[in-house]
Amino acid sequence: MTDRRHRLDELLRAKEGDAGCNAGEEILDAYVELELAGEDPARVFPGTAIHLQSCPGCKADHDGLLEAARRFGDLDLG
Amino acid sequence: VSAEPGQTGREMHDAESKGWVEQLRSGHPRHEQAVARLHGVLVRVAIHELSRRRWQLASIAGPEFDDLAQQAADDALMNVLRKLEEFRGLSRFTTWAYKFVIFEVSSKVARHAWRRQPPSSEELDWHELPDWLAPRPGDQLEQREQLEALSAAIGELTDRQREVFVAIALNDVPIDVLALRLGSNRNAVYKNLFDARRTLRSRLAAAGHALIEEDAIA
């Protein structure tokens, strides 16, 4: 596949099984926790894994939460 | 777009998470301290997330930036306390709580961007393919025909699908900013985008220009 054809395929990405934004919002913390544990979240949440490849808004939220959980996750009660 | 099946993942219910939930309940002797400690870290998460999204905030100044972080943390804390009994332990408590501040930052950044720089009509109206997609002199006939078919198919989308596809896919308008422009929400706008993309793939395949084998079979 040429570079332009590949980019066109990305531009028009619409895979069956996409769970949508609302479903992902509900489980985003569990999704990120699986990633942090080195597991594959797509096995548990396949629809959200597909969705995150296509939705720029949810992808940004996911990336932010993953980074926050990595950076600030070890907060004890004090 | 179909809903995520009822998979729940594993339950974590670690001691630290249980401690957070217990101490955040009103009436607990350490309630005030726990709320203050959580709020403090929510502010730090908000500042970090706002910095990560700074490209959308244009010329926002120091005090306004800090105020935005404070508001996001305040609103997130309210949501955490209101939904405390809904925490099911599918993640650590902190990851669950941080989700609320990420969503607040996401929403506030979109509102800020929408007020400062709403999408222009150039970014919403269909004119032509962007430079990287436009036919070039050296293109083979097949490539030119594929791009011409795409161009024609974009013109045949419904008005809403075309507006959403042109803004998000071709002009990189943030989906939440577009949702505000349309008086809609992210999920509904994403559905429009998904339908537009699926229609365009299908039109290309019908015209003999499938992008991948799977499209051709469909």
Side-chain angles (χ1 to χ4, degrees):
Chain A
M1 197 181 275
T2 64
D3 180 52
R4 190 162 64 175
R5 199 177 174 91
H6 177 73
R7 288 180 70 183
L8 187 55
D9 186 49
E10 291 289 311
L11 188 77
L12 303 181
R13 183 190 287 273
K15 287 182 76 173
E16 290 303 319
D18 188 324
C21 305
N22 291 347
E25 282 182 11
E26 285 295 314
I27 52 85
L28 198 57
D29 54 313
Y31 189 100
V32 159
E33 205 70 64
L34 289 169
E35 284 181 285
L36 290 173
E39 297 177 28
D40 179 10
R43 292 180 64 183
V44 182
F45 303 112
T48 294
I50 291 170
H51 181 69
L52 290 175
Q53 293 176 342
S54 309
C55 179
C58 292
K59 174 75 165 55
D61 290 349
H62 162 270
D63 293 354
L65 183 58
L66 184 61
E67 204 169 308
R70 274 202 184 115
R71 186 178 283 246
F72 304 103
D74 293 328
L75 178 73
D76 58 38
L77 276 159
Chain B
V1 181
S2 59
E4 186 74 89
Q7 303 271 21
T8 55
R10 64 181 178 186
E11 297 193 358
M12 297 189 71
H13 291 305
D14 56 293
E16 199 69 33
S17 294
K18 278 184 178 174
W20 274 108
V21 173
E22 284 166 12
Q23 294 195 18
L24 285 170
R25 285 191 179 116
S26 57
H28 191 280
R30 290 184 55 81
H31 172 76
E32 296 298 327
Q33 292 98 314
V35 168
R37 184 157 173 75
L38 180 61
H39 184 259
V41 77
L42 290 179
V43 172
R44 289 167 62 204
V45 173
I47 289 171
H48 185 265
E49 185 61 10
L50 281 167
S51 302
R52 222 178 55 84
R53 300 182 189 231
R54 191 139 204 159
W55 65 275
Q56 275 188 270
L57 292 169
S59 59
I60 189 167
E64 198 181 355
F65 183 92
D66 292 343
D67 192 43
L68 211 52
Q70 197 71 35
Q71 284 174 32
D74 291 352
D75 292 346
L77 179 63
M78 292 285 285
N79 282 325
V80 168
L81 295 176
R82 190 165 51 83
K83 298 187 174 184
L84 196 58
E85 302 308 325
E86 295 175 24
F87 174 65
R88 292 182 295 159
L90 301 181
S91 66
R92 284 173 293 174
F93 175 79
T94 48
T95 306
W96 180 77
Y98 298 166
K99 181 172 73 168
F100 292 99
V101 79
I102 297 293
F103 290 163
E104 288 297 334
V105 167
S106 187
S107 161
K108 284 173 177 21
V109 165
R111 287 196 176 279
H112 181 88
W114 156 243
R115 281 198 301 268
R116 291 287 176 96
Q117 195 175 4
S120 67
S121 58
E122 281 290 307
E123 291 172 308
L124 301 174
D125 295 340
W126 168 232
H127 300 290
E128 58 189 9
L129 291 171
D131 288 347
W132 70 267
L133 259 182
R136 298 168 199 156
D139 281 349
Q140 293 175 353
L141 181 62
E142 186 194 344
Q143 285 176 306
R144 296 188 71 83
E145 286 178 349
Q146 182 187 46
L147 294 174
E148 283 164 12
L150 173 63
S151 217
I154 293 171
E156 291 167 7
L157 292 171
T158 67
D159 290 346
R160 175 55 65 95
Q161 286 175 358
R162 186 169 52 252
E163 192 171 30
V164 167
F165 180 78
V166 168
I168 297 174
L170 299 186
N171 288 311
D172 292 326
V173 173
I175 189 168
D176 295 325
V177 174
L178 183 65
L180 288 167
R181 163 77 168 73
L182 299 175
S184 185
N185 59 65
R186 184 193 290 178
N187 197 54
V189 171
Y190 182 76
K191 178 76 168 56
N192 295 143
L193 178 65
F194 184 89
D195 291 343
R197 284 169 160 166
R198 194 168 53 181
T199 300
L200 293 174
R201 292 190 87 95
S202 152
R203 294 262 165 86
L204 285 181
H209 301 294
L211 292 170
I212 55 173
E213 201 174 331
E214 190 182 321
D215 285 348
I217 293 166

